[in-house]
Amino acid sequence: MRLTAPLRAVAVLLLVGLSWLLLNTLFGGASASSVRHFFSGASEKPTVAETRPRRYKCGLSAPCPPKHLAFRLVSGAANVIGPKICLEDKMLMSSVKNNVGRGLNIALVNGVTGELLDTKTFDMWAGDISDLLKFLRPLHEGTLVFVASFDDAATKMNDESRRLFDDLGSTAMKELAFRDSWVFVGAKGIENKSPFEQRMKNSKSSNKYEGWPESLEMDGCIPLRPPLEG
């Protein structure tokens, strides 16, 4: 027995209504889009924001505690790619800023406020070591010293310059040699040796680049000093 057109329409409407109620019960009010995903076998992909690793200051993998400075140092690669010094998500020295060069790249920072005081480059192959000595001798108590090498950082070193870096907390300075890679954070008046230092020795048997060791990268959190009394 065939249904008349009106009865067929009613039957279709009832079937649609029952199907909707069934789906609503099964999926707890899921949207049509979710139902389509279920039946097609597709899973919802996370958004770009969900998949991208969270980025902290200077690219650190975790945030620094309060009253700490986030930093990242990268030494130069051979004599081609310049070094980088980042502090609190601000690039203090880099090739892009056009303020780096062969030798030692140094940024001075107020250890109480985190304020940048000065940046300079010292050519340790053909430069005058007296320029570096004049720069380091008058440092004030609590001044933070960020250093990244590029190409050669040691040829012009003398006993006094090595002693000055030793006083800033360096342990590698005594052995730093021709074309070694070096990154370092020290401070004027530091009581112990700095925990922030890396050195890669220039060695023909292990150099990553012909004539140069690999670039070094170091990051971390430096506690601000309390204001000096008086």
Side-chain angles (χ1 to χ4, degrees), residues 5-225:
L7 288 176
R8 283 200 302 270
V10 171
V12 169
L13 289 174
L14 286 173
L15 181 60
V16 170
L18 289 171
S19 298
W20 173 251
L21 288 173
L22 178 61
L23 289 174
N24 211 38
T25 302
L26 289 173
F27 298 105
S31 66
S33 175
S34 299
V35 173
R36 282 198 302 272
H37 279 301
F38 177 82
F39 282 108
S40 65
S43 59
E44 290 191 32
K45 296 181 179 180
T47 63
V48 174
E50 291 172 335
T51 57
R52 183 185 301 128
R54 187 167 181 182
R55 179 185 178 281
Y56 297 95
K57 292 178 180 179
C58 291
L60 270 66
S61 59
C64 288
K67 296 184 179 180
H68 282 66
L69 301 174
F71 78 91
R72 180 182 296 276
L73 297 178
V74 182
S75 66
N79 61 347
V80 180
I81 302 175
K84 297 178 183 178
I85 299 179
C86 176
L87 183 69
E88 285 293 285
D89 231 18
K90 296 179 180 178
M91 196 61 69
L92 305 185
M93 302 186 76
S94 70
S95 296
V96 174
K97 293 180 68 70
N98 197 31
N99 64 347
V100 296
R102 178 176 66 182
L104 296 178
N105 296 269
I106 303 178
L108 302 182
V109 173
N110 186 312
V112 176
T113 65
E115 175 190 5
L116 177 64
L117 302 175
D118 201 359
T119 60
K120 280 193 177 179
T121 296
F122 300 92
D123 188 340
M124 301 303 291
W125 171 256
D128 188 342
I129 190 62
S130 64
D131 294 333
L132 176 63
L133 298 177
K134 291 174 184 177
F135 186 71
L136 295 178
R137 284 170 182 159
L139 294 183
H140 295 292
E141 188 83 4
T143 301
L144 295 172
V145 183
F146 295 80
V147 187
S149 68
F150 184 27
D151 190 357
D152 173 43
T155 295
K156 288 288 182 174
M157 282 287 180
N158 61 14
D159 290 343
E160 183 179 0
S161 60
R162 291 181 187 274
R163 180 183 58 77
L164 288 171
F165 280 112
D166 184 73
D167 291 343
L168 294 172
S170 172
T171 54
M173 175 49 64
K174 293 179 180 179
E175 299 178 350
L176 190 70
F178 174 65
R179 286 186 177 176
D180 287 355
S181 291
W182 183 49
V183 287
F184 168 67
V185 183
K188 180 69 173 181
I190 190 171
E191 295 181 0
N192 301 305
K193 292 302 180 181
S194 172
F196 302 115
E197 184 174 29
Q198 293 182 18
R199 170 187 171 238
M200 179 65 69
K201 183 176 176 56
N202 170 24
S203 172
K204 291 182 180 181
S205 62
S206 61
N207 280 348
K208 181 174 182 179
Y209 311 105
E210 184 179 353
W212 289 270
E214 65 180 306
S215 174
L216 292 174
E217 186 170 340
M218 178 176 67
D219 59 35
C221 305
I222 300 175
L224 288 169
R225 292 173 60 110

